[in-house]
Amino acid sequence: MAEKILIVDDDIDSLKLIGLMLQRHGYEVVAANAGNQAISKAAGELPDLIILDVMMPDMDGYEVTQRLRSDTSTRDIPIIMFTAKTLIDDKVKAFELGADDYLTKPTHPAELASRVKAILARNPHKDAEKVSSTKSIGVLGVKGGVGTTTIAANLAAALMQAGEDPILADFCLGFGTLGLFLGHTKAASMATLLSKQPAELNERVVEDQLTRHQSGMKMLLASPRPKESLLPYTPETATRLIKILKELSSAVVLDLGSQSSPAISRVARSVDQLLLVVEPNRVALAMARELFQSFEGDGVDRNRLNVAVVNRTQSTLQTPWQEIEQVLGQEIKAIVTAEPDLAFQSLEAGIPMVLFRPNSIAASQLVKLAEDFRAQMNAD
């Protein structure tokens, strides 16, 4: 995965010039044109490096650096000050506040590229991130009614059975049925967290919103109240929240529902593994193919994309699995057999099928799915 660099400058021309140069060197670029925006994006995106201008109208680069260094989530991100200020006192102040390097404008693109490469090569924070074994799995339905929430809940429960300490999180604001599915009638924790700025989120704040299922599984739930679907949260806040959830658990399973939105789309693209839930019929497969093409067009590695086929009815008229793989150009990771009576009984009890009746066919298929993901997590 390309290393991510946040560029902060109130001069739009400088942002474009530096961003284009870095992209040509293979880096992923995020931009901010003000100090407060820089702090928010740093907390949400957690870049590998920040290139920071000093002179900005709302907050100068010195204060931005000071705030970043006082936040546990951003204090280890390297910072290169890039400014027209040439006095030695300015440079000393930058280093005293925690800058890792200092460049004066104008500078040759080759020198900036060289400094960036050198800083990234010696960044211990980046190495620590690489050794983390915690993974996020997003479960996304290609349309409503395919069993997305059922798959997410059972996947998390099966991971817990296998010895993991997962967090099951519902990102379906205003459509949150996960809590109802698991016997929790009052749940608004996800809305509470997503309404915050990235810099306001930390482990303590997130932990306070977690609840536990009767099985002991940790959950972060959304409510089904329609008005919450209007909550305007940013992709940076969602990305920051997922990062913290990964720090609090050994695996994170996200119910992304089937409601398309820019924020959900961004979350789906940021998870370590994405599981698309489909039905074996023409409409669902056509929608799944469009989703695959969209993700690939955005540069998502196909190795991160997975397919689970849910047979919601027992019928000989459904599309054969070989044809599904041919249509999607993707191997099926799991096929879940229709067991409507078990699904109903599990729902009434508020217990995932893998815990309610572990010897059933559907439960064994879902356990196998969790085992495959767990093996993949341990191999990465």
Side-chain angles (χ1 to χ4, degrees), residues 18-294:
I18 298 171
L20 182 61
M21 184 275 292
L22 292 173
Q23 287 174 334
R24 286 174 176 170
H25 281 79
Y27 299 112
E28 179 183 350
V29 173
V30 181
N33 58 16
N36 281 315
Q37 187 183 33
I39 293 170
S40 177
K41 287 202 171 186
E45 297 282 352
L46 294 176
D48 298 292
L49 172 67
I50 298 172
I51 298 176
L52 177 63
D53 187 27
V54 170
M55 294 181 289
M56 291 181 291
D58 67 327
M59 181 189 305
D60 66 31
Y62 299 127
E63 185 176 350
V64 172
T65 300
Q66 193 170 24
R67 293 197 184 188
L68 292 174
R69 290 294 180 251
S70 64
D71 186 333
T72 57
S73 67
T74 58
R75 66 185 177 194
D76 295 322
I77 301 175
I79 297 173
I80 296 178
M81 287 283 198
F82 191 52
T83 177
K85 302 186 71 153
T86 59
L87 295 178
I88 189 65
D89 288 347
D90 297 320
K91 185 179 293 189
V92 170
K93 183 178 180 180
F95 284 122
E96 286 179 343
L97 290 172
D100 297 85
D101 204 346
Y102 192 99
L103 277 172
T104 54
K105 299 178 182 180
T107 189
H108 194 280
E111 181 182 5
L112 177 57
S114 177
R115 298 286 187 96
V116 167
K117 184 177 180 180
I119 290 289
L120 289 173
R122 65 173 187 258
N123 179 13
H125 177 65
K126 177 186 68 175
D127 295 336
E129 288 292 316
K130 286 184 176 180
V131 302
S132 173
S133 61
T134 300
K135 300 297 180 184
S136 55
I137 305 168
V139 184
L140 179 66
V142 299
K143 67 181 188 67
V146 295
T148 309
T149 296
T150 298
I151 294 291
N154 280 277
L155 178 56
L159 287 170
M160 184 184 68
Q161 277 189 314
E164 300 293 337
D165 180 30
I167 292 177
L168 175 60
D170 188 349
F171 267 82
C172 306
L173 292 180
F175 303 92
T177 58
L178 186 58
L180 299 176
F181 179 87
L182 295 173
H184 290 253
T185 57
K186 295 182 180 180
S189 302
M190 182 62 77
T192 299
L193 294 176
L194 290 179
S195 64
K196 297 181 180 296
Q197 294 298 313
E200 296 177 298
L201 295 177
N202 55 48
E203 289 189 12
R204 182 187 59 77
V205 169
V206 174
E207 274 189 307
D208 286 345
Q209 296 298 328
L210 295 179
T211 187
R212 284 189 182 270
H213 183 252
Q214 57 182 286
S215 64
M217 181 171 58
K218 292 184 288 188
M219 304 181 296
L220 181 61
L221 301 175
S223 88
R225 291 193 288 271
K227 66 178 183 180
E228 288 188 4
S229 65
L230 304 176
L231 179 69
Y233 68 91
T234 66
E236 291 79 18
T237 296
T239 303
R240 169 71 174 152
L241 176 56
I242 294 171
K243 168 70 166 50
I244 295 173
L245 291 174
K246 290 171 68 172
E247 292 172 352
L248 294 172
S249 67
S250 62
V252 180
V253 179
L254 312 174
D255 181 0
L256 303 180
S258 58
Q259 301 293 325
S260 178
S261 70
I264 286 291
S265 179
R266 175 64 177 274
V267 171
R269 285 162 171 79
S270 67
V271 295
D272 298 300
Q273 293 291 322
L274 182 64
L275 181 66
L276 266 64
V277 183
V278 305
E279 284 182 309
N281 61 53
R282 177 180 55 84
V283 173
L285 293 179
M287 298 177 74
R289 185 172 60 239
E290 291 295 327
L291 273 175
F292 268 113
Q293 292 174 353
S294 174

Side-chain angles (χ1 to χ4, degrees), residues 230-361:
L230 304 176
L231 179 69
Y233 68 91
T234 66
E236 291 79 18
T237 296
T239 303
R240 169 71 174 152
L241 176 56
I242 294 171
K243 168 70 166 50
I244 295 173
L245 291 174
K246 290 171 68 172
E247 292 172 352
L248 294 172
S249 67
S250 62
V252 180
V253 179
L254 312 174
D255 181 0
L256 303 180
S258 58
Q259 301 293 325
S260 178
S261 70
I264 286 291
S265 179
R266 175 64 177 274
V267 171
R269 285 162 171 79
S270 67
V271 295
D272 298 300
Q273 293 291 322
L274 182 64
L275 181 66
L276 266 64
V277 183
V278 305
E279 284 182 309
N281 61 53
R282 177 180 55 84
V283 173
L285 293 179
M287 298 177 74
R289 185 172 60 239
E290 291 295 327
L291 273 175
F292 268 113
Q293 292 174 353
S294 174
F295 287 129
E296 288 189 307
D298 288 340
V300 177
D301 187 347
R302 186 170 271 266
N303 291 327
R304 291 169 51 199
L305 303 177
N306 308 272
V307 177
V309 177
V310 177
N311 295 312
R312 295 181 61 79
T313 59
Q314 296 176 345
S315 171
T316 58
L317 301 178
Q318 294 174 339
T319 307
W321 65 266
Q322 299 96 327
E323 187 176 335
I324 295 174
E325 291 186 337
Q326 185 176 7
V327 169
L328 299 181
Q330 184 83 6
E331 183 178 346
I332 296 172
K333 198 174 189 71
I335 298 177
V336 182
T337 302
E339 291 198 56
D341 289 343
L342 172 59
F344 176 79
Q345 293 166 6
S346 169
L347 179 65
E348 289 297 296
I351 301 174
M353 289 185 290
V354 298
L355 303 178
F356 184 75
R357 194 178 297 169
N359 294 327
S360 65
I361 295 174

